[in-house]
Amino acid sequence: GAGVSQSPSNKVTEKGKDVELRCDPISGHTALYWYRQSLGQGLEFLIYFQGNSAPDKSGLPSDRFSAERTGGSVSTLTIQRTQQEDSAVYLCASSLGQRLGGYTFGSGTRLTVV
Amino acid sequence: SQKIEQNSEALNIQEGKTATLTCNYTNYSPAYLQWYRQDPGRGPVFLLLIRENEKEKRKERLKVTFDTTLKQSLFHITASQPADSATYLCALEDRGSTLGRLYFGRGTQLTVWP
């Protein structure tokens, strides 16, 4: 597609429920990143995919967080047993995977855990 | 500890003046540094990338400098306009980290008033 698409744009969920966030990167971008942005905080790295593999998962906050990428394209970030501290904007970005230019970000999914 | 600090949380300037934003880093060895613009409710948008061996980059009204001795990047917007009002983020890739993983500052909110 023309840009990075994320869905849903907003998600309100009850504490303890599982949520799935979706990212559709730019076609041909081999690298895909998930970040989250909490109010007043900088972007916090979560996980990086190169193709379908995740060489760096070090940013995932706990084992309740997982992500996968299939076909070198769409990625889903899953949060199990959501907690209130999971409330944030989850941003996905893609790039060509080389040091040629910047990321292209999606508009994010605003997750609110009540 | 590693830090990326952007000079102030907010910067207010008059239309037509030059806005100068500062990004200082500690305990990183950047391969390159990037600047992004973020509007409310949107993902960051890539503006400029500058490599460790480059001193200055320009793009239209934007100029970025990079001083690895001072561990600092300056971001200038000349002839500023109200439409330039946004939050500006600096980000760097550290040589010791995963290729492509970026570390972000918290941003500077720029307001340009008529």
Side-chain angles (χ1 to χ4, degrees):
Chain A
V4 176
S5 178
Q6 290 188 248
S7 61
S9 55
N10 280 284
K11 176 73 176 179
V12 179
T13 189
E14 291 181 353
K15 178 180 171 181
K17 300 283 189 185
D18 297 353
V19 295
E20 266 193 9
L21 311 180
R22 176 187 169 105
C23 173
D24 200 343
I26 290 176
S27 178
H29 278 194
T30 57
L32 185 148
Y33 305 84
W34 284 97
Y35 282 78
R36 75 176 175 182
Q37 189 172 34
S38 303
L39 193 62
Q41 301 296 314
L43 274 75
E44 175 189 10
F45 171 81
L46 297 178
I47 189 168
Y48 155 58
F49 286 94
Q50 180 61 40
N52 290 337
S53 64
D56 191 346
K57 304 179 185 180
S58 62
L60 294 177
S62 74
D63 59 9
R64 296 187 294 106
F65 287 72
S66 63
E68 64 174 14
R69 188 180 186 193
T70 54
S73 180
V74 171
S75 175
T76 54
L77 176 68
T78 301
I79 310 173
Q80 295 178 310
R81 306 181 301 282
T82 51
Q83 303 294 313
Q84 287 185 329
E85 62 262 28
D86 299 334
S87 297
V89 176
Y90 289 80
L91 291 161
C92 174
S94 68
S95 75
L96 289 170
Q98 303 172 45
R99 291 171 175 169
L100 297 177
Y103 294 173
T104 301
F105 279 88
S107 290
T109 293
R110 180 174 295 278
L111 176 66
T112 304
V113 181
V114 297
Chain B
S1 63
Q2 293 178 316
K3 288 188 295 187
I4 300 173
E5 294 177 308
Q6 296 193 235
N7 56 322
S8 59
E9 288 190 7
L11 180 65
N12 299 309
I13 65 168
Q14 188 176 22
E15 182 176 11
K17 302 291 187 184
T18 296
T20 298
L21 285 65
T22 304
C23 177
N24 295 291
Y25 58 90
T26 306
N27 293 326
Y28 284 104
S29 180
Y32 60 79
L33 193 143
Q34 301 183 11
W35 284 87
Y36 289 80
R37 167 184 174 141
Q38 187 172 25
D39 291 285
R42 307 303 298 270
V45 174
F46 171 71
L47 296 175
L48 281 168
L49 177 153
I50 186 164
R51 303 180 193 285
E52 60 179 333
N53 59 349
E54 296 175 321
K55 297 293 186 186
E56 183 179 300
K57 269 281 186 68
R58 291 176 185 263
K59 178 182 175 183
E60 297 173 351
R61 295 184 295 112
L62 309 179
K63 184 177 85 170
V64 172
T65 63
F66 192 10
D67 189 326
T68 55
T69 301
L70 291 178
K71 301 186 189 301
Q72 181 182 78
S73 175
L74 299 179
F75 177 78
H76 306 272
I77 306 174
T78 57
S80 58
Q81 305 166 359
D84 295 327
S85 299
T87 296
Y88 291 86
L89 307 172
C90 74
L92 59 83
E93 179 183 316
D94 183 60
R95 288 197 163 279
S97 293
T98 304
L99 182 69
R101 172 176 175 171
L102 292 181
Y103 295 85
F104 284 82
R106 292 190 179 187
T108 296
Q109 185 173 350
L110 173 67
T111 301
V112 181
W113 44 279

